[in-house]
Amino acid sequence: MQLTILHVSQPVDGGVARVVTDLVRGQRAAGLRVLVACPSGGRLAPAAAAAGAELLEWEARRSPGPSVAAETARLRRLVRQAAPDLVHLHSSKAGLAGRLAVRGRLPTVFQPHAWSFAAATGALATAGVRWEQYATRWSSAVLCVSEQERADGEAAGIAADYTVVPNGVDLRHYAPAERRAARLSLGLDLSEPLAVCVGRLCRQKGQDLLLAAWPTVLRRVPTARLALVGGGPDQAALQDRVRTLPEPYRVRLTGDVPDPRPWLAAADLVVLPSRWEGMALAPLEAMAMARPVLLSDVPGAREQLPLADREFALVPVEDPAALAAALAGALADPMDCARRGTAARQWVTERHDIRGVVDRVAELYQKSTSEGQSTPRVPARI
């Protein structure tokens, strides 16, 4: 019997969209019927369709608000029409509307892709925790992408059936590429040290912290360059911030690009100073292309790094001074960056192949569907 899986996702760009697309591709290859409900616009819908998914248009805003009731009702209708065997909810907004819509009537896997309360403070953070404590009753399983993400959920009192499956990458798609050719294609100098940050331009990814650190980096490595690759809500503000830097600031904002691989190939170092994550995908993609990374010590970061890199490839969260020191030190030694990049490719090959992720998610689906429909397992906490 062919299993039917319904993935529900909002957001429709960035790492979450790539995770969903990779799962669709692997699940279709395994003979499953796969549907994706998501908003129109963004990259997820066309990418998922190209990977073999049937698309269901589900209009939903990225943030919670008054629109949640209507979004939940629309999703409930889509679930009834699709009649899936299992629903896989991606990120906090889909997790909110999806669990309200399904309410445990079907096996439901919730994948936070970083807990919603990690992005909030005060009353909003408290409300986020209490919602997750309550809504876990409607999850057959909670799929975390790092042990730290799972531990943070447990510490917040979210009593769930947890499974940890670290993120993976398509090692054939993200393969090592020649740096010289990539730089020529992008019009970059062949010899200048280059740091690249790939990610949605938003507070979560911390590009503002990178710009705060950059003048200090230039004082130590005057020929260094920085590229911020991606688009997002903070693009205009970051561009204004660049203009306030002392010249020559040597920073380039590329805007949204269809394929970040040329920029990853051109880099000496890939940096991502996030404020929160579950396990960011961009560093894995960079390491798969044999590029070393520098990360803030958020959930998932330590676990995805080669053991030898964990002492000097992690910096404290929201610490521009530490970020500047680590970034300048790496860019001052391109040969060491190349050596670390080779080791990073081997590490990702052994531990983060997307084919292994697809297999482990399939095992989770089998467990969830064989145990039948989800039922409340914990008392109400409201």
Side-chain angles (χ1 to χ4, degrees), residues 258-272:
D259 186 354
R261 287 179 297 171
W263 285 99
L264 294 175
D268 291 295
L269 179 75
V270 174
V271 56
L272 190 64

Side-chain angles (χ1 to χ4, degrees), residues 116-118 120-130:
S116 60
F117 50 82
T121 58
L124 282 177
T126 300
V129 169
R130 296 188 70 174

Side-chain angles (χ1 to χ4, degrees), residues 315-361:
V315 296
V317 179
E318 293 195 89
D319 190 337
L323 177 62
L327 187 53
L331 292 177
D333 194 347
M335 293 296 291
D336 187 58
C337 283
R339 178 193 61 77
R340 289 173 51 207
T342 300
R345 167 70 185 187
Q346 183 63 32
W347 173 267
V348 169
T349 299
E350 293 172 355
R351 293 166 176 81
H352 294 281
D353 189 329
I354 189 59
R355 292 171 294 184
V357 174
V358 172
D359 289 345
R360 293 182 65 185
V361 172

Side-chain angles (χ1 to χ4, degrees), residues 137-218:
R137 67 189 56 227
W138 295 322
S139 303
S140 308
V142 173
L143 176 55
C144 294
V145 294
S146 67
E147 290 291 346
Q148 186 60 56
E149 186 179 46
R150 176 196 58 76
D152 289 347
E154 291 181 336
I158 302 166
D161 185 358
Y162 289 99
T163 295
V164 177
V165 181
N167 277 335
V169 291
D170 184 338
L171 297 171
R172 294 165 295 183
H173 187 72
Y174 289 95
E178 207 271 318
R179 180 182 285 102
R180 184 177 187 277
R183 291 198 176 192
L184 287 173
S185 72
L186 296 169
L188 299 171
D189 187 277
L190 298 179
S191 61
E192 293 177 337
L194 174 65
V196 172
C197 178
V198 176
R200 187 168 182 261
L201 302 183
C202 60
R203 184 175 181 276
Q204 177 190 0
K205 300 299 181 180
Q207 290 94 348
D208 58 318
L209 303 171
L210 191 50
L211 293 180
W214 190 243
T216 302
V217 175
L218 286 182

